[in-house]
Every structure is written in structure tokens, then in C-alpha cells.
Amino acid sequence: MKKNLFIGLLLCIGAIPANAQMKWSQQYQQYFDQYKDMAIDQMRRYHIPASITLAQGVLESGAGKSELAVKGNNHFGIKCHGWTGRAVYHDDDENNECFRAYRNASESFEDHSKFLTTSNRYSSLFRLKQTDYKGWAYGLKSCGYATNPRYAIQLIDIIQLYKLYEYDDGKYSGKSHGTLPSVSHRVYEFNKNYYVLAKAGDTYRTIGEEMGVSYKKLAKYNENDRDARLEEGEFVWLEKKRRNAPKEYKHRPHVVRDGESMYTISQRYGIRLKHLYKMNDLTPTYQIKVGDVLRVR
């Protein structure tokens, strides 16, 4: 969707009085302290801003104190919609509506991520930057997540008051909760993709376990052997690499430096190796040398 059209949709939501300010709540802060690591883990795996997950969770669950949260561990107000698991019933838009119930909060956070990522209704949100919490807030409202006309503004107010946007840059701190893995890699965004930099002793298995991605898929995305031992500082892409570098590299070729190979260059720019060869009219038998100039776009 074009940006102007997207903004136009948002304007339909309606203006909110400038003096409608939210007050700081100890209960809200305790909720964020308890579930921030869980939200960051979901962001790593599904690319939903942690700030959005936390703001939705605290708002929909009344900081974990709502009837749905207490009886069904449902932190996001997700209704049954074909759900075959345990359910709880609650008055919402209609009387006695069916809502999903979970064994714990972790299952609720996981299902929320899957609910957004598997529905075509919300697919446009995943074209937004991970740090664009305002776009996500307005997008959730315009896509129909909630009927409250102030829903987007409420999410934004919560995120700004509690500075939840600080969790969206890929940094991780603190201890994980429940059975979640501890996260030790920072996730970077480049070329409409995400990557981490390998640390000493890393393998696709260890990174895959941390990020919640199959190590076999990671190896395939990175065009490498699944059992390869990674060099410290090596790029590890979390999704399939692109055909070329971003547009700004159209007139910025890469000059080969000592120790580089076609593979390491393809990894640096997040480009599939065969496309790097094709862009430069080279065959896999060609041995690049220091000073060679390569197109990456």
C-alpha cells in the first residue's frame, strides 16, 4: 500500500483531544518488567515490535488482571475463530463470546504472534520497519484488531509513557522467563532482512535454537553446510537472502579486499551467491582478486 494511502486510512480513525494523557501505573510497569523478555523473544522470531506486543498485552489484559488473563491466560483478547483448544467465555462486543485459553502466558504470547503473522489481514504490517511502532499501532486499528476508535492512540501513549520503544532496536537485557532461551546476539536489519553476527563457537544449531529458527533453514538461507562451524563476526541471515543489495548501492560497487571471497561478499550484502555471479557476468570458477570491482545492485 502506498504511504499516502496508508496515512489516509489512518486519518479515518478520528482526532483525539491533545489533553487526553495517560498516567503512569505501577501495575503497568510491573507487567512490562515481567513480560518484556518474552516480547523481545517474539520480536526476534516473528518481527513484531516488542513495544507493540507489550502495549497490546497490558491493554488487553488489564496488566494481567482481567478475567480472560486470570481464567485463560489470554493476554491479547483473541477470540476462538476456529480454535480447537480450551476456551473461556466472556461478554465483549456480544454476550458470552468464545475466547482462546492457554496453559500459561508464554503460549498466549506465541499465539498472538502466530495470529498476526498467519492472517492476510495483517500482512501489510510486516512491510513496516520493526521500529515503526506508530505505524504498527495505527495499522492494527485500521486492519480491524480492535473496535475501540482510540485503540491506536492508546497503544502509542503506553509505548511513549513507558519508553517501550527502547526494546525495538534488537538489544536484549535481563533474564528470560519460563522456558524461553537466553538471547545473546543482537539482531540487525539490512536489505529487507535480518541478521546476527556469529560469536566464537557458534553453529547454525546454536543460533537456530536461540532465534527459534530451524538450523537446517538457517544453513539454507546462508548457502552453507548445516554443520558448518561459523567464524567470529560472520554474517548469519535469518531469512532467505535477496537478489541484490538495496537501491542506494546501484552506483556504489564493491571493491574486493584482502581475504574476501564471492561468498563472504554475498553474505555481507545479503545477496544470493548465484545472483552476485550473474550481476557481474562471472562463473563460479572465477577467482576474484584484491582490487576487483563488483556490482552488488
Side-chain angles (χ1 to χ4, degrees), residues 5 11 32 55 81 121 173 208 221 239 260:
L5 178 59
L11 293 177
F32 301 139
H81 299 304
R121 172 184 288 187
S173 61
Y221 296 155
E239 296 178 358
E260 289 186 320

Side-chain angles (χ1 to χ4, degrees), residues 95-130:
N95 293 332
N96 204 36
E97 290 193 86
C98 182
F99 288 83
R100 301 180 184 187
Y102 311 96
R103 289 178 298 179
N104 49 52
S106 178
E107 284 190 357
S108 179
F109 274 66
E110 178 79 10
D111 191 51
H112 170 259
S113 297
K114 291 180 177 178
F115 179 76
L116 294 181
T117 55
T118 58
S119 173
N120 289 332
R121 172 184 288 187
Y122 304 107
S123 60
S124 62
L125 299 181
F126 292 89
R127 293 196 288 270
L128 299 172
K129 291 183 177 180
Q130 186 173 283

Side-chain angles (χ1 to χ4, degrees), residues 68 79-81 87-100:
L68 284 178
K79 297 179 182 179
C80 287
H81 299 304
V88 292
Y89 293 86
H90 178 74
D91 293 345
D92 192 53
D93 296 325
E94 298 179 7
N95 293 332
N96 204 36
E97 290 193 86
C98 182
F99 288 83
R100 301 180 184 187

